Amino acid sequence: MNTWPFINGAYGASVLFLAVAGWLSLARYRRARRRLAEVEKR
Amino acid sequence: MNEDVLPANRPVRAGGWLHYLANPARFMRVAVPVLPWLSGAALLLCVAGIVWGYQFAPADWQQGNASRIMYVHVPAAWVAMAGYAALAVCSLFSLVWRHPLADIAAEEMGPVGAGFTALCLISGSLWGKPMWGAYWVWDARLTSVLVLFFLYLGHIALIRAFDNRAHGYRAAAILALAGAVNLPIIVYSVQWWNTLHQGNTISITGGSKIYVTMLYPLLISTLGFYLAFIAMVVARICAAICERKTASALLAAAEELA
């Protein structure tokens, strides 16, 4: 049985999850800090 | 009681040191400069662990290349369980000391922990198909991890189920503490029941049943996944604190105008 499609699937899901979850968390953090700085400047 | 024996700067209230450390402003002062380094280290270790496991680690003598799934499946499983343990600890702090930072931390850990648990289940089923001939079996280890995933989802939903956020935090904290009983069940399920899932390969107390050429990439990948979890949670906690400060500032400005 060719196991590579399963290996590629597991690694693909991992890389996709880490990239998307990491990017979303950091994007939310940067957006929240920028918004707070704007409000405090008023 | 003779109060002269107490040092002058000692917190009088029980658990006062916890309140000192868990202050949102102090947390931000520590977390903001640390976050870029934490994220960079997580990225570096995740890339090193994943590339090493996928490309350079040796294939298993019995399972062949399919054993490479271990380098993403096992770290995801460990982080999923450790994340829930941290969630339960935050819930305990929330229920006992009613500290808002514990509530925020628990709220932000939920979705990240659920993601790692889903990743563990997906990679596990992709490992199960070539090895067992099935993507899913109602095995004690698999079922208890599925229960962990549902506990995470329940926690996420319960926090958002009440109009009064404080009620949601309290209900979710009770669920998180009650659900912590599932953690030893996951760990010992392979010993208590006759499972299709293999037994524990790595042990802190006993000797590991894995050779160093496979152990090192696994440990690097695990460290990377742990740091990624911490970096994501810290970033989300900082974002939540900033969002609350923004909302408070906007509310105060609106009240001044009115």
Side-chain angles (χ1 to χ4, degrees):
Chain A
M1 184 179 192
N2 180 16
T3 55
W4 279 105
F6 300 100
I7 300 165
N8 292 338
Y11 275 81
S14 304
V15 170
L16 196 68
F17 166 72
L18 289 170
V20 170
W23 184 79
L24 284 176
S25 302
L26 289 175
R28 182 183 160 200
Y29 165 72
R30 292 178 70 175
R31 195 172 55 242
R33 289 206 69 184
R34 195 171 54 239
R35 181 88 178 111
L36 179 62
E38 281 171 12
V39 169
E40 282 178 339
K41 211 185 287 178
R42 285 183 196 175
Chain B
M1 181 184 173
N2 180 7
E3 291 184 359
D4 293 339
V5 298
L6 294 172
N9 59 351
R10 183 181 182 277
V12 176
R13 197 166 41 153
W17 61 275
L18 271 178
H19 291 268
Y20 179 84
L21 289 175
N23 179 294
R26 286 193 196 102
F27 178 83
M28 288 289 285
R29 274 203 296 277
V30 174
V32 168
V34 167
L35 192 56
W37 295 99
L38 199 60
S39 307
L43 181 68
L44 202 68
L45 287 170
C46 280
V47 169
I50 286 171
V51 170
W52 194 346
Y54 184 84
Q55 193 66 39
F56 301 108
D60 183 67
W61 71 277
Q62 199 172 26
Q63 296 193 17
N65 282 319
S67 68
R68 294 182 194 283
I69 297 175
M70 168 179 72
Y71 304 107
V72 290
H73 172 71
V74 174
W78 283 344
V79 171
M81 286 194 292
Y84 196 86
L87 185 65
V89 169
C90 285
S91 300
L92 183 70
F93 283 9
S94 165
L95 287 174
V96 176
W97 288 286
R98 300 285 173 92
H99 204 286
L101 191 64
D103 288 328
I104 296 171
E107 185 178 8
E108 301 304 334
M109 274 177 202
V112 183
F116 275 98
T117 313
L119 181 61
C120 167
L121 290 168
I122 291 166
S123 57
S125 71
L126 287 168
W127 197 358
K129 181 65 180 171
M131 291 299 107
W132 304 335
Y135 286 108
W136 183 263
V137 285
W138 291 102
D139 168 286
R141 172 60 70 84
L142 276 68
T143 308
S144 54
V145 174
L146 184 65
V147 169
L148 180 73
F149 181 61
F150 290 147
L151 283 168
Y152 270 122
L153 293 186
H155 186 269
I156 295 165
L158 207 50
I159 282 182
R160 291 155 180 82
F162 295 85
D163 290 333
N164 184 342
R165 258 303 163 75
H167 293 169
Y169 285 135
R170 194 164 169 73
I174 293 166
L175 172 74
L177 276 180
V181 75
N182 189 42
L183 293 178
I185 294 175
I186 294 173
V187 174
Y188 293 108
S189 57
V190 288
Q191 294 173 21
W192 291 344
W193 292 283
N194 186 20
T195 58
L196 196 55
H197 192 285
Q198 69 176 67
N200 296 330
T201 308
I202 296 171
S203 166
I204 295 170
T205 50
S208 292
K209 300 168 194 160
I210 182 170
Y211 194 58
V212 286
T213 50
M214 295 169 114
L215 181 65
Y216 289 158
L218 180 61
L219 290 180
I220 287 173
S221 188
T222 300
L223 193 58
F225 274 47
Y226 269 112
L227 290 183
F229 175 83
I230 295 167
M232 285 181 215
V233 169
V234 167
R236 291 172 64 96
I237 292 172
C238 290
I241 292 169
C242 289
E243 284 161 4
R244 277 154 210 245
K245 277 186 180 174
T246 305
S248 300
L250 288 173
L251 191 65
E255 280 174 353
E256 269 179 28
L257 286 172

